[in-house]
């Protein structure tokens, strides 16, 4: 049964708006070819790069990348100009694209020209093929301007070769890790995920030829591997060797995922296993299992009771790219005690009758953005009181949410950061109350 669930999970991660993405790539390429090559082509001189180009992206991807190769004579021109040549190059490419998208927000940003569509953005990297270094030379307008080299072709080739060696398991796993990181708010870039999964399959061939039937044990091994890595500022990307920087410490959440995966492997029935896998990977993991001729939900026996709950994935694309951390002050009879996360390390349950002030501890999302909250009550007492809640609502401007420990149950509070109509950061904190 687990094999069928993992296969369905992988299918659920497929990018569903690939047609719209392809049209945008083609239109951008057509415009740039007309202006810089005097050609009518929607494919020449373009390379899809990033997660989408490596074919490890999942549904909800909001940040797409493409390299557009320009004539070498333009490199010589902009390298020789007075002032910031890379900045002037970005403005020339931006001006070209504005003729195709006059009402769309288009801006130069360091190394790329960013086109902001309604459901995703495309970062166009104007570049020049440099055969001497076997890579693309591109401009960086920061700090007065400079010229650098990237080698996405080598990265795509290395990932594809390892994917072939592992019977496509590498790309499947890369997509699954993206679902985990978006579910649990783990700030990891797509290239870092692909690099670490590549390294996992490189250090052992145990799962190279395995099928979906072995994905349960594969997940335990993979998260154990990720959780056991020493912190590094960067890793070397496969193929190119370029530095892939770590934005934060993913290891603690990977260790928790490894423990949850092992719990799923050890569970004594398929329904419990599926529920645990869904806790690891989120709502893209199948919510139903088929036993005989009966289809069962793994969420709740009576799902009609939980119709008040909302899910951020149904409201916005989720593409975690920043860090968000929330905590809560615990107050009893007007006296503030320890923070909730610290108390949870000492006590399994929080007593009733406490006031809680949830607040943002850390957030590195550049403003402007919108903060949203979700408070979810779980358990028989919550059902009896008809106080399940679970709606997602906007912050009142104070970056805090006040609650009380009124009744028994394993509740939780979750926070989300929405920027440019994408959920780019999230965090969750459990509130276990013992009346």
């Amino acid at each position: 049964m687990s094999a069928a669930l993992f296969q369905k999970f992988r299918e659920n991660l497929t990018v569903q708006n690939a047609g719209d993405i392809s049209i945008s790539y083609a239109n951008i390429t057509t415009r740039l070819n007309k202006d810089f090559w005097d050609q009518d082509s929607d494919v020449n001189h373009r390379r899809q790069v990033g997660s989408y180009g490596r074919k490890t992206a999942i549904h909800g991807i909001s940040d797409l990348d493409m390299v557009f190769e320009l004539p070498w004579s333009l490199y010589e021109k902009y390298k020789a100009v007075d002032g910031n040549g890379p900045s002037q190059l970005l403005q020339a490419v931006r001006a070209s694209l504005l003729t195709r998208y006059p009402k769309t927000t288009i801006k130069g940003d360091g190394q790329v020209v960013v086109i902001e569509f309604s459901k995703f953005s495309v970062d166009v990297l104007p570049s020049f093929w440099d055969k001497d270094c076997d890579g693309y030379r591109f401009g960086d307008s920061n700090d007065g301007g400079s010229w650098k080299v990237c080698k996405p072709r080598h990265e795509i080739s290395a990932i594809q070769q390892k994917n072939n060696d592992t019977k496509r398991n590498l790309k499947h796993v890369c997509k699954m890790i993206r679902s985990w990181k978006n579910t649990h708010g783990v700030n990891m870039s797509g290239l870092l995920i692909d690099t670490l999964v590549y390294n996992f399959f490189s250090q052992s061939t145990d799962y190279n030829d395995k099928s979906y039937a072995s994905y349960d044990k594969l997940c335990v091994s993979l998260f154990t591997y990720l959780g056991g890595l020493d912190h590094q500022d960067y890793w070397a990307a496969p193929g190119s060797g370029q530095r892939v920087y770590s934005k934060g410490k993913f290891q603690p959440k990977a260790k928790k995922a490894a423990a949850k995966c092992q719990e799923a492997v050890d569970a004594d029935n398929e329904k419990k296993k599926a529920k645990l896998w869904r806790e690891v990977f989120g709502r893209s993991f199948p919510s139903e299992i088929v036993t005989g001729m009966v289809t069962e939900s793994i969420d709740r026996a009576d799902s009609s009771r939980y119709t008040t709950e909302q899910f951020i994935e149904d409201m916005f694309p989720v593409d975690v790219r920043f860090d968000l951390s929330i905590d809560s002050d615990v107050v009893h009879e007007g006296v503030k005690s320890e923070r909730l996360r610290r108390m949870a390390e000492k006590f399994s349950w929080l007593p009733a009758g406490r006031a809680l002030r949830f607040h943002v501890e850390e957030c590195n999302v550049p403003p402007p953005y919108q903060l949203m909250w979700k408070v979810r009550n779980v358990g028989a007492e919550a059902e009896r009181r008809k106080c399940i809640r679970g709606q997602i609502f906007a912050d009142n401007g104070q970056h805090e949410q006040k609650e009380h420990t009124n009744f028994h149950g394993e509740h939780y509070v979750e926070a989300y950061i929405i920027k440019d109509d994408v959920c780019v950061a999230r965090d969750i904190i459990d509130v276990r109350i013992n009346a």
Side-chain angles (χ1 to χ4, degrees):
M1 183 60 66
S2 292
L5 289 175
F6 274 103
Q7 181 173 0
K8 180 62 177 176
F9 173 40
R10 201 277 306 163
E11 293 170 358
N12 289 345
L13 297 176
T14 301
V15 176
Q16 297 173 18
N17 60 337
D20 293 336
I21 292 173
S22 295
I23 290 172
S24 295
Y25 272 127
N27 288 339
I28 293 169
T29 304
T30 297
R31 181 71 263 168
L32 294 178
N33 269 320
K34 285 181 179 179
D35 289 344
F36 293 101
W37 289 95
D38 193 25
Q39 293 182 4
D40 186 12
S41 171
D42 62 1
V43 295
N44 289 350
H45 309 113
R46 177 197 75 196
R47 180 173 294 276
Q48 297 174 355
V49 295
S51 296
Y52 198 76
R54 294 189 299 274
K55 294 181 171 52
T56 53
I58 64 174
H59 182 64
I61 183 173
S62 63
D63 190 6
L64 296 150
D65 303 282
M66 67 174 282
V67 167
F68 187 82
E69 181 185 347
L70 296 167
W72 185 259
S73 60
L74 288 180
Y75 169 65
E76 295 174 335
K77 170 186 174 181
Y78 284 104
K79 185 180 180 182
V81 299
D82 291 333
N84 193 324
S87 178
Q88 295 181 47
L89 172 62
L90 290 182
Q91 292 309 311
V93 173
R94 177 177 180 271
S96 170
L97 293 171
L98 279 171
T99 63
R100 175 60 181 83
Y101 302 105
K103 297 182 180 180
T104 301
T105 299
I106 303 177
K107 59 186 179 182
D109 186 11
Q111 304 167 354
V112 297
V113 176
V114 183
I115 311 169
E116 296 183 356
F117 298 106
S118 60
K119 299 296 184 182
F120 52 83
S121 65
V122 178
D123 293 0
V124 180
L125 180 71
S127 63
F128 310 89
W129 179 251
D130 189 338
K131 60 182 180 181
D132 292 335
C133 65
D134 194 25
Y136 291 104
R137 193 167 292 278
F138 65 95
D140 184 345
S141 64
N142 294 309
D143 301 323
S146 61
W147 299 94
K148 301 178 179 179
V149 174
C150 64
K151 299 183 178 183
R153 290 170 55 174
H154 299 69
E155 295 161 4
I156 292 172
S157 178
I159 291 292
Q160 184 58 50
Q161 183 58 56
K162 184 67 69 175
N163 191 58
N164 294 340
D165 295 342
T166 61
K167 305 295 190 296
R168 298 190 297 176
N169 285 327
L170 179 133
K171 290 187 180 181
H172 291 172
V173 170
C174 287
K175 294 178 181 182
M176 290 164 53
I177 295 299
R178 281 169 169 77
S179 185
W180 164 74
K181 75 105 175 178
N182 284 338
T183 298
H184 296 276
V186 187
N187 185 8
M188 299 175 71
S189 70
L191 185 53
L192 179 58
I193 289 173
D194 295 352
T195 297
L196 296 181
V197 173
Y198 179 97
N199 292 347
F200 168 77
F201 281 105
S202 297
Q203 54 89 40
S204 172
T205 60
D206 290 349
Y207 295 98
N208 277 16
D209 60 351
K210 299 301 182 184
S211 66
Y212 288 113
S214 297
Y215 270 36
D216 52 356
K217 295 181 177 62
L218 187 159
C219 288
V220 175
S221 297
L222 175 62
F223 281 115
T224 300
Y225 169 79
L226 294 177
L229 290 173
D230 292 332
H231 176 71
Q232 297 179 198
D233 290 334
Y234 61 87
W235 277 263
S240 70
Q242 79 168 73
R243 292 183 176 184
V244 187
Y245 288 92
S246 176
K247 298 180 180 180
K249 293 184 178 180
F250 55 84
Q251 291 89 339
K253 289 185 177 180
K255 290 179 181 179
K256 290 182 179 179
K260 186 71 70 174
C261 291
Q262 187 61 59
E263 187 180 351
V265 170
D266 296 337
D268 56 7
N269 64 77
E270 290 296 329
K271 191 171 182 179
K272 185 175 181 180
K273 287 177 181 289
K275 181 177 182 295
L276 291 167
W277 289 122
R278 194 166 165 85
E279 291 178 12
V280 174
F281 293 112
R283 297 182 68 238
S284 293
F285 201 89
S287 60
E288 296 179 334
I289 61 174
V290 179
T291 55
M293 299 297 290
V294 180
T295 301
E296 299 180 79
S297 170
I298 66 173
D299 290 327
R300 297 287 172 180
D302 183 4
S303 60
S304 64
R305 298 179 182 178
Y306 297 85
T307 55
T308 60
E309 186 169 11
Q310 295 176 313
F311 300 94
I312 198 68
E313 294 86 353
D314 297 333
M315 302 170 67
F316 301 96
V318 178
D319 191 0
V320 171
R321 287 174 265 155
F322 299 94
D323 291 313
L324 173 66
S325 177
I326 62 173
D327 207 337
S328 176
D329 296 324
V330 181
V331 180
H332 179 52
E333 296 180 348
V335 179
K336 184 169 68 174
S337 58
E338 291 185 277
R339 294 282 175 83
L340 181 57
R341 289 194 187 276
R342 186 177 292 268
M343 291 184 68
E345 296 174 357
K346 302 177 182 179
F347 308 105
S348 298
W349 296 86
L350 186 67
R354 271 40 174 187
L356 303 175
R357 185 186 72 87
F358 296 91
H359 57 275
V360 174
E361 281 275 283
E362 177 188 356
C363 176
N364 63 359
V365 182
Y369 58 77
Q370 181 182 19
L371 172 64
M372 305 187 79
W373 297 93
K374 174 177 173 178
V375 180
R376 182 78 160 88
N377 296 324
V378 180
E381 185 66 12
E383 294 180 40
R384 187 183 68 80
R385 296 187 182 212
K386 297 181 179 179
C387 191
I388 297 297
R389 299 174 68 182
Q391 300 92 337
I392 295 174
F393 54 91
D395 181 74
N396 62 8
Q398 300 299 313
H399 280 206
E400 66 176 28
Q401 175 63 24
K402 295 181 179 179
E403 299 288 335
H404 290 83
T405 60
N406 289 330
F407 52 88
H408 178 82
E410 298 186 14
H411 318 299
Y412 65 83
V413 173
E414 192 163 12
Y416 317 93
I417 298 293
I418 312 301
K419 185 175 178 64
D420 298 328
D421 292 325
V422 176
C423 177
V424 297
R426 67 193 297 181
D427 193 26
I428 187 171
I429 183 169
D430 294 322
V431 187
R432 306 182 70 204
I433 303 170
N434 188 12

